[in-house]
Structures are given as C-alpha cells and as structure tokens.
C-alpha cells in the first residue's frame, strides 16, 4: 500500500478531472511514468521545479505547489510516534488485519476519511489489533501516529475531548496560541494540521460518539476507534467500517499458550492445555495471565486447568492489584452501567446450567415475557457481555459466566435463585415434552410429563410441527443434557434424556444418545425411580443395538421389559412396554432370530393398539411384514405391509408413512416385483428427505440401488449407492465400507468391454 498523502490524492483527483492517464501526464511533463508516480506518492523528493511542471500540466493553478510547500520537510514539521509497542506474541487475526488494509485501500480510492470501529468483549485484543496494524503501516503516513486511551469503560471519569485535543496539538508541534478557544476551534486547528500530513489516529476504549466527534481527523488520515460497547452513533455519523472481534479460534489460542509456556509443556498435556484455553474464554489477555501463573507459580497445566474448572477459583486466578488485569475491576464497569432489568438477567444467566441462551428460556429464567427478555439480551449483546452464535442463540464465555454467577450470589436472594432455576428446568421439561411428541406422537406421554408448568410458558409444538421440533432439538439437545445433569433431586434428571430418544433415533447421533441414556439411567438410580430405570433401559438398550452391540442390547431390553411388568398400576405405561418390545424385536431381527422378532413385533402391535396409537401400530406392522416374508408367508406379509401403509397414512406422520413405503418396497424386492418396489422406495425416499431422516434416507437409497441393479440399470444403481455412502460417511456409519464394495463391483461391470448403456 502506498503513502496516500494529500499531495497524492490531489494529483489523482486532477488526473481524473483532466481525463489523463499517469503515462500521459508523465509524457507531457517530460519525465518517466515511474518517476512521476514516485513523486506523487512521496517516494521521491518533490523538488520545486518538478512540482511546478506537474502543477502546470495538470492545470492546478498553484494548488500542488502550495501543498508541496506545506509538506516539505523542515520548518515546524513534527511527526509524533505515540504508538505503544506491539505485542511480541501477537497471534492470528490475519483476516482482520487484511480487513483493515482493505478498508483503507477502498477509501484511498475516493479520497474520503477512513474510520474503523473495532468492537468486542473485554480482553479480546481490540487494542492489540489496532496497534499491530498501525505498526505495520505507520511509515506510509507522513503525520505519524497519535494514540490515546479515552477511558470510556474504566474506573474514574472518561477522558475529556478538549484535554485530548490539546495533547494531540502539542504532539503535532502547535504553539501555545493554538491551544486556546473552544473545543470546536481547537478541533478545526487539529484537522488543519493533519490535512497536510495524514496520520493514523487511534482512540482506544471510547465511551461514545460525543467523546470521539471532536477528535475525528478528516480526509487523508485513518481513525481507529476501539470500544467494549456498541457505538451505533459513531457508525451512523461516520460510516465507519465495523470489525466485531471475537475470541481467538481454538488453534490460535493454543498457539498463544504454546508461545507463553513452551511447546513441550503443551504437547505433554494437551487435554489440560485445551481446558485452560476454553476456561479462559479463548481471550488473549486471559491466556497470557493463565500462562504466567503457570510458569512463575511453578504449577502444572493440569493444576491450572483444575483451578479454572470451578467458578470461584476461576475468577481468583484473574484477580490482581493492577486494574487492567483484574477481571472484577474490568467487568464491574460494564455490569454497573447496565439497566436494572438487563443486570438482573445477566446475573441469572450466570446461574443457568447451560451456556445456550434464547429469549424464550431467558424469559422463563427471569419470569418476564419474551419481548422483555429479547430487549435485555440485546442490551447485553451491545455491551459484549453475551455473544451471538448460530440460529439466533447467544452464550457467555466461561469467565463471564463465573462473574455473573458471583454477582447473582451477591445481589440476588437465595430464594429467588432457587425459583429461577425451578422455572428454567420446567420450561425445558415442558418444551422438550412437546417437541418429542411432535417427532413421535405420544412418545413422551403421561409417564414423561413434567410435574408442573404453571409458572412458565413453554414453546408449543403440535403434530404438524415436525420440522420446527426437529430444528429446536438440533439447537438445544446439548443444552437439554446439561440441564438434566444439573438436577440433583426429582425425576427430571432421567425424564429429559428419555424424551430425547425420538430425536436421537432420527438423527443417529449415537455418541450423544449413549451419553444421554447413561446419564438418564444414573439419574434414575440416584432417585430410586423404578419407572425411570425402566425408561432408561429402553434408551440404553436401543442405542447399544444401533451401534452394533446387539447381544448386550437384548439383555438390557429384556431387563427393561421385566421391570415394566413389575411396576405398580400407577407407574405402568403400556406404550413404554410397546416401544421396548418394538426395540427388542428389531434387535432380534438384526441377528436373524425371526421367531423372536415376529413374536415381539406382534406384541408391540397389540400394545400400541390397546393404547390407541395408530402410529405405533403402523410401524410395528411395517416391520412385522418382512419377518412374515422370512417364513414364506408371502400373502400374509403383503397384507400386513399394505395395512401398515394404510394406518400410517391415516396417522399423517411422515416418518411412519416413509417406513411403511420402505418396508413395502423391501418386501416387493424380495418377492421379485421390482417395478412396484421402486415406486414405493421412491415415495419413501422423498418423505425421508423431507423429514431429514438422513440414516433412513441412506437405508432407502441402498435398497433402491439393489432394485435398480435387478432391473439392469447399473449406472443409476451406482449413483444411488454413492449417495448412500456419502450420507453414511457423514454419520460415521461403518456400513459405508460395504456400500463402497458394491460400488466397486458395479464399476467393474460398467467398465467391462461391450457393456450396454443403462
């Protein structure tokens, strides 16, 4: 990037007005194009004779002569260099440095002022980024660099713009006479001095636009403003380029820790190092403080990671007599500036068992309406006390949560904290219950219903809200499990994981499912709930079957069925028994134990029928049909399959309809009716794609490929196999390897000589 001084910008403007290229100007002036370019941009001395000739060719009427005279070295020219030294371990942020370069380059094209606003939370490295960029480009600015901390968010009063102006004028060599008059008059003198020698001006930690306005330098110079609060007025009035600086990415944060404590120590205990980085919020300053504590305190990384894992000790590590590195002193300023309702919401969020924040859950936590919760979160977001993540959700980093938790303990009565926690738990329970039933009707029936929801307004999901419920689970499933783990007494510790089973069955997130089932079982045992243990055995057995431990799964599911039979009348749930029988039948079927599978599918069908759940009857019949086929009962199997399809369509549940079509297609394939099979498989595929049942989609694609191959459409079969393999690879399902073998076989056939086209 070249030095875009006032002389250069004026010369470029005159060139445009004359409609002349640089080559044409040089030719008329009698100099080389390269030499004229260097004179324009200050890379060659602007000798009087040269400037006079260029002024004449461009018809500048003395304007270039005057500017060159003002900029010529000598006289009272002062070039202040107030930039603090850049950090020696500055890490990452290359994209943001390029963003600063691009912003300056774009404004240089039209000669307008350049203002960049860097916003972000505490200790994110806003000042560091500004200093790093300025240190790389300061030689391009003949006026040097001006820097000031405006103390916008700091103990004491913010800096007065008039006092800052006086300091800047002195740095620029202004005589005492220029330090008199109103702020507006001094601001005009300040801009006049910078007009002939563009500078970099950094206003660190700004309070608001009123404080910044007199310090705007004008065209030619670059102004960088940093702030921990959103500066909407500054953006509106200046058209500033806005940079929202987040915490460091994990890799860059680890690099910074390595730089501070040494590569060998980090590599020797990667898990502890990653925990330190995570608990330090991936904030550069926090990582440096933790690293210095590790090195000079003689502590291991594991010791420091353990200290950061608990909220009180987490803050203690970042407490210092130096206000700049004392987390409480830094955050007190932001917290005490909040409106009362936003401050209360902030405190309560620190007590939430989950870091995921939505307006709806916040409304339950604070006992306010959703609109009020949204406004409070907006205030916190503009103060950079929460960060925006995907899908409109927000979150707090670990350090902010620890501070908010501490504030809640100090500023909220214990009774109010208990009530807030109760409301949040029951909001999640009621919403999860509704969403689960939207995915699988009546799955979360009376046995999983939360005890009381009178004091919360949960999200509502009806039977037609499948997509909305699935999306909600995709966003909130992790939060639901964190909420469940926070339950010390009562049944929600096992009920919440149990309600997630339909979501896990659809998405095949086996790791999360296994963790949820294990957590649920432990919670049920902890509160001595036999009904909860039976529910958890269903979930644990089902997922064990899904991941290939089918013999273990059968034992778990059989134990679950026995426990359900031993429950009293009040606790017994016929639909739970039906689903357990269904899962157990599926496990036996996968081991080709057809007798057991057929008997259990029939039992599940009967229990679903007694419970009035057509959806359950339909899926049981659909699976039973294929087992009947295994016994050579072709007509009976077909009748059962068509009954299943009719019931599924009557229920209106896409997942049941798609399963019925899929099983009917599989049945017809086994019976050699390939064309009808393809018709049903195509319908199943369409529905499964609509329902986002990725694993089921791959299953249908695999059967469809087999049918296409039977019909002699090998190219189409190969394409179906490829689609199935791609899905299974993303789900980390080992069946992808078997399908790749099928693709290889088809490739061999298709590449053989004289193979007819499909």
């Amino acid at each position: 990037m070249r030095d875009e001084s006032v002389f250069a910008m004026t010369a470029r403007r005159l060139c445009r007005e004359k409609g002349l290229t640089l080559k044409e100007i040089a030719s008329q002036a009698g100099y080389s194009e390269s030499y004229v370019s260097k004179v324009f941009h200050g890379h060659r001395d602007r000798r009087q004779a040269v400037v006079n000739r260029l002024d004449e060719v461009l018809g500048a009427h003395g304007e270039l002569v005057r500017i060159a005279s003002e900029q010529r070295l000598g006289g009272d020219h002062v070039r202040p260099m107030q930039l603090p030294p850049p950090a020696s371990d500055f890490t990452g942020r290359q994209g943001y440095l390029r963003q600063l370069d691009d912003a300056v380059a774009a404004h240089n094209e039209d000669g307008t002022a350049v203002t960049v606003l860097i916003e972000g939370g505490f200790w994110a490295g806003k000042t560091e980024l500004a200093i790093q960029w300025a240190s790389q480009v300061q030689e391009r600015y003949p006026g040097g660099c001006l820097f000031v901390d405006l103390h916008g968010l700091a103990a004491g009063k913010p800096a007065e713009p008039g006092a800052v102006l006086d300091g800047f004028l002195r740095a620029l060599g202004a005589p005492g006479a220029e330090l008199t008059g109103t702020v507006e008059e001094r601001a005009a003198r300040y801009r006049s001095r910078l007009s002939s020698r563009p500078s970099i001006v950094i206003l660190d930690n700004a309070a608001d636009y009123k404080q910044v306005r007199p310090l705007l330098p004008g065209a030619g110079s670059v102004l960088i403003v940093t702030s921990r609060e959103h500066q909407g007025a500054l953006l509106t009035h200046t058209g500033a380029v806005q940079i929202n600086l987040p915490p460091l990415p994990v890799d860059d944060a680890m690099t910074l820790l390595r730089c501070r404590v040494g590569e060998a120590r980090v590599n020797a205990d990667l898990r502890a190092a990653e925990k330190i980085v995570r608990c330090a919020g991936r904030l550069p300053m926090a990582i440096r403080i933790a690293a210095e504590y590790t090195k000079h305190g003689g502590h291991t990384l594991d010791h420091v990671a353990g200290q950061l894992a608990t909220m009180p000790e987490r803050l203690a590590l970042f407490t210092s007599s130096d206000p700049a590195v004392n987390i409480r002193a830094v955050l007190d300023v932001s917290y005490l500036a909040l409106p009362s309702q936003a401050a209360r919401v902030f405190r309560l969020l620190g007590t939430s068992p989950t870091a995921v924040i939505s307006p709806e859950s916040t409304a339950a936590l604070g006992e306010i309406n959703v609109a009020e919760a949204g406004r409070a979160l907006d205030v916190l977001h503009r103060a950079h006390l929460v960060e925006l993540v995907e899908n409109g959700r927000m979150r707090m980093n670990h350090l902010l949560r620890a501070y908010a938790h501490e504030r809640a303990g100090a500023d909220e009565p214990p009774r109010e904290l208990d009530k807030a926690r109760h409301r949040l738990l029951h909001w999640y329970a009621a919403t999860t219950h509704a969403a689960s039933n939207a995915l699988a009707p009546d799955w979360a029936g009376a046995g999983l219903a939360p005890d009381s929801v009178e004091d919360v307004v949960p999200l509502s999901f009806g039977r037609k809200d499948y997509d909305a419920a699935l999306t909600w689970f995709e966003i909130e499933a992790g939060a639901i499990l964190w909420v469940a783990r926070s339950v010390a007494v009562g049944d929600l510790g096992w009920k919440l994981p149990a309600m997630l089973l339909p979501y896990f069955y659809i998405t095949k997130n086996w790791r999360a499912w296994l963790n949820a089932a294990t957590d649920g079982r432990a919670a049920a045992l902890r509160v001595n709930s036999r009904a909860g243990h039976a529910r958890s055995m269903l979930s644990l057995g089902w997922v064990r079957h899904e991941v290939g431990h089918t013999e273990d799964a059968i034992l778990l599911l059989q134990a679950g069925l026995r426990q359900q039979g031993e429950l009293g009348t009040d606790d017994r749930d016929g639909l739970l028994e039906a689903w357990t029988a269904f899962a157990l039948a599926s496990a036996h079927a996968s081991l080709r134990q057809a007798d057991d599978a057929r008997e259990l599918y029939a039992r599940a069908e009967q229990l679903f029928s007694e419970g009035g759940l057509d959806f359950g009857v339909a899926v049981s019949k659909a699976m039973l049909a294929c087992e009947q086929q295994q016994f050579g009962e072709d007509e009976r199997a077909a009748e059962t399959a068509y009954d299943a399809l009719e019931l599924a369509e009557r229920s209106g549940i896409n997942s049941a309809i798609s399963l019925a079509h899929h099983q009917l297609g599989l049945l017809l394939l086994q019976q050699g009716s390939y064309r009808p099979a393809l018709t049903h498989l195509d319908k199943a595929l369409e529905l499964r794609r609509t329902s986002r049942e990725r694993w089921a989609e791959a299953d249908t694609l695999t059967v469809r490929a087999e049918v296409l191959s039977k019909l002699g459409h090998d190219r189409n079969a190969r394409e179906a196999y490829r689609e199935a393999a791609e899905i299974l690879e993303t789900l980390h399902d080992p069946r992808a390897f078997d399908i790749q073998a099928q693709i290889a076989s088809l490739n061999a056939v298709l590449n053989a000589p004289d193979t007819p086209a499909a």
Side-chain angles (χ1 to χ4, degrees):
M1 189 186 296
R2 296 175 292 187
D3 166 18
E4 289 291 341
S5 68
V6 173
F7 187 96
M9 289 189 293
T10 303
R12 288 162 65 87
R13 174 176 57 79
L14 291 168
C15 287
R16 288 196 298 270
E17 291 175 356
K18 284 283 186 180
L20 297 173
T21 65
L22 184 64
K23 183 176 182 180
E24 290 169 339
I25 295 295
S27 176
Q28 292 184 29
Y31 304 112
S32 73
E33 182 180 355
S34 173
Y35 177 72
V36 171
S37 176
K38 291 173 182 176
V39 170
F40 277 4
H41 295 94
H43 299 164
R44 288 287 185 272
D45 288 343
R46 293 174 182 138
R47 292 182 294 175
Q48 190 66 52
V50 176
V51 173
N52 290 345
R53 179 61 181 148
L54 292 173
D55 189 279
E56 178 184 347
V57 170
L58 288 169
H61 305 293
E63 186 177 5
L64 288 179
V65 173
R66 177 183 58 77
I67 293 172
S69 177
E70 291 174 354
Q71 291 187 336
R72 192 164 290 118
L73 295 177
D76 64 351
H77 179 80
V78 177
R79 190 170 188 265
M81 298 299 293
Q82 298 181 340
L83 192 68
S88 60
D89 58 359
F90 181 83
T91 303
R93 307 298 200 197
Q94 296 306 309
Y96 295 102
L97 292 172
R98 285 193 296 273
Q99 197 172 341
L100 280 159
D101 282 341
D102 293 344
V104 173
H107 284 73
N108 281 339
E109 289 297 322
D110 55 21
T112 58
V114 184
T115 302
V116 179
L117 172 64
I118 304 176
E119 292 185 352
F122 78 105
W123 292 355
K126 303 177 293 296
T127 306
E128 196 175 294
L129 175 65
I131 291 171
Q132 184 71 23
W133 180 81
S135 69
Q136 295 176 3
V137 302
Q138 61 184 340
E139 293 304 322
R140 304 169 190 165
Y141 293 87
C145 183
L146 299 169
F147 179 95
V148 66
D149 183 351
L150 294 177
H151 297 283
L153 273 178
K157 296 177 63 176
E160 291 289 339
V164 176
L165 269 176
D166 290 346
F168 280 177
L169 284 168
R170 291 190 190 97
L172 291 167
E178 290 192 20
L179 306 183
T180 60
T182 65
V183 170
E184 288 75 15
E185 289 169 340
R186 283 175 283 161
R189 296 179 194 128
Y190 157 73
R191 284 190 288 273
S192 294
R193 284 191 164 264
L194 292 182
S195 67
S196 61
R197 46 192 181 199
S199 305
I200 300 172
V201 180
I202 299 178
L203 305 179
D204 191 36
N205 194 11
D208 51 33
Y209 177 65
K210 182 180 178 181
Q211 185 189 38
V212 168
R213 185 174 58 81
L215 307 174
L216 298 173
S221 293
V222 175
L223 172 66
I224 302 178
V225 181
T226 74
S227 180
R228 272 167 53 194
E229 293 192 322
H230 180 61
Q231 299 294 333
L234 176 66
L235 292 168
T236 300
H237 286 284
T238 66
V241 174
Q242 183 182 17
I243 294 177
N244 282 309
L245 194 65
L248 287 169
V250 173
D251 288 347
D252 289 342
M254 290 291 288
T255 298
L256 178 57
L257 185 64
R258 284 188 171 94
C259 181
R260 285 285 178 156
V261 304
E263 186 89 19
R265 290 187 71 177
V266 170
N267 290 342
D269 199 346
L270 271 176
R271 179 173 294 182
E274 289 167 354
K275 191 171 185 179
I276 289 171
V277 162
R278 184 172 65 255
C279 291
R282 307 195 317 277
L283 302 172
M285 179 62 76
I287 293 170
R288 291 188 179 103
I289 293 171
E292 290 308 303
Y293 178 77
T294 303
K295 285 175 61 178
H296 298 296
H299 302 296
T300 64
L301 291 178
D302 187 61
H303 172 83
V304 177
Q307 183 171 341
L308 288 173
T310 59
M311 285 195 178
E313 292 190 50
R314 188 180 304 162
L315 291 185
L317 195 148
F318 300 102
T319 301
S320 167
S321 58
D322 180 355
V325 291
N326 185 332
I327 192 167
R328 291 183 176 89
V330 170
L331 291 178
D332 280 351
V333 181
S334 292
Y335 171 73
L336 295 173
L338 293 172
S340 60
Q341 188 168 83
R344 178 173 176 270
V345 166
F346 176 75
R347 294 192 297 269
L348 293 179
L349 288 173
T351 68
S352 171
T354 173
V356 176
I357 301 166
S358 71
E360 293 82 7
S361 63
T362 302
L365 185 69
E367 202 174 13
I368 54 181
N369 62 48
V370 175
E372 289 173 317
R375 287 192 291 271
L377 290 175
D378 185 57
V379 170
L380 297 179
H381 182 235
R382 284 187 278 115
H384 293 283
L385 294 174
V386 295
E387 60 181 299
L388 192 63
V389 290
E390 296 177 329
N391 304 299
R393 298 306 196 269
M394 296 182 182
R395 70 178 172 210
M396 283 182 179
N397 66 42
H398 286 68
L399 295 180
L400 280 167
R401 289 188 70 201
Y403 176 83
H405 187 274
E406 183 176 88
R407 274 292 180 177
D411 299 345
E412 289 284 338
R415 175 179 168 81
E416 290 302 313
L417 294 179
D418 288 342
K419 288 166 66 176
R421 178 178 173 277
H422 172 87
R423 289 191 301 269
L424 185 68
L425 290 180
H426 282 81
W427 181 88
Y428 266 107
T431 302
T432 304
H433 187 265
S436 184
N437 281 331
L439 296 186
D442 295 323
W443 161 257
L448 291 178
D451 297 332
S452 171
V453 295
E454 293 177 1
D455 52 353
V456 295
V457 182
L459 295 179
S460 177
F461 298 100
R463 290 202 172 191
K464 295 183 178 179
D465 294 326
Y466 175 95
D467 282 342
L470 186 59
T471 297
W472 187 78
F473 274 127
E474 287 170 348
I475 299 167
E476 296 279 359
I480 294 166
L481 292 178
W482 276 110
V483 170
R485 289 171 188 142
S486 74
V487 178
V489 295
D491 290 338
L492 287 183
W494 63 263
K495 282 185 175 181
L496 282 167
M499 292 182 209
L500 285 166
L501 193 152
Y503 166 69
F504 288 138
Y505 180 80
I506 290 167
T507 60
K508 305 301 180 185
N509 187 343
W510 290 302
R511 179 177 295 179
W513 186 357
L514 188 58
N515 288 337
T518 304
D519 287 351
R521 185 184 187 189
L525 291 171
R526 188 167 58 246
V527 298
N528 196 29
S529 171
R530 296 173 66 195
H533 192 257
R535 279 272 182 187
S536 302
M537 293 290 273
L538 165 60
S539 187
L540 190 57
W542 206 331
V543 68
R544 293 285 289 173
H545 161 54
E546 291 274 331
V547 298
H549 297 281
T550 301
E551 292 180 352
D552 290 343
I554 289 173
L555 295 176
L556 289 167
L557 292 166
Q558 286 173 338
L561 266 181
R562 283 196 303 272
Q563 290 173 13
Q564 291 160 35
E566 295 166 1
L567 293 175
T569 305
D570 291 340
D571 291 330
R572 195 161 183 176
D573 186 336
L575 292 181
L576 173 60
E577 291 184 50
W579 283 116
T580 307
F582 180 87
L584 187 55
S586 299
H588 281 295
S590 70
L591 295 179
R592 301 188 183 280
Q593 296 169 353
D595 284 334
D596 291 329
R598 187 167 65 163
E599 178 184 342
L600 285 161
Y601 278 133
R603 180 179 175 184
E605 178 191 340
Q606 180 183 351
L607 288 166
F608 281 129
S609 180
E610 292 171 358
L613 188 61
D614 285 350
F615 165 71
V617 175
V619 298
S620 298
K621 279 182 171 289
M623 301 300 291
L624 176 60
C626 285
E627 297 308 314
Q628 291 169 339
Q629 174 70 24
Q630 297 300 317
F631 279 85
E633 301 172 356
D634 292 5
E635 291 185 9
R636 187 178 180 188
E639 182 181 348
T640 302
Y642 282 108
D643 283 347
L645 180 57
E646 182 181 347
L647 278 169
E649 289 177 335
R650 189 188 307 164
S651 75
I653 307 301
N654 279 350
S655 56
I657 300 170
S658 66
L659 176 66
H661 276 298
H662 174 90
Q663 292 298 107
L664 191 49
L666 184 60
L667 187 72
L668 291 168
L669 165 64
Q670 293 169 350
Q671 293 179 356
S673 300
Y674 303 132
R675 292 286 180 187
L678 193 60
T679 299
H680 286 287
L681 291 169
D682 285 344
K683 290 178 179 178
L685 188 60
E686 180 183 356
L687 288 169
R688 288 181 163 182
R689 283 173 172 165
T690 301
S691 300
R692 291 183 280 168
E693 298 177 81
R694 297 287 286 158
W695 186 90
E697 179 186 345
D699 202 24
T700 299
L701 282 166
T702 303
V703 179
R704 186 175 183 274
E706 190 175 345
V707 172
L708 288 167
S709 185
K710 293 287 187 181
L711 290 169
H713 302 320
D714 289 339
R715 294 187 189 279
N716 292 337
R718 181 175 62 181
E719 185 58 33
Y721 276 133
R722 282 176 175 168
E723 288 184 58
E726 287 175 6
I727 293 171
L728 294 173
E729 284 168 5
T730 62
L731 295 173
H732 306 291
D733 189 319
R735 288 194 309 152
F737 296 109
D738 296 331
I739 293 176
Q740 290 292 353
Q742 295 289 341
I743 294 171
S745 297
L746 284 173
N747 284 337
V749 172
L750 290 167
N751 292 330
D754 300 322
T755 299

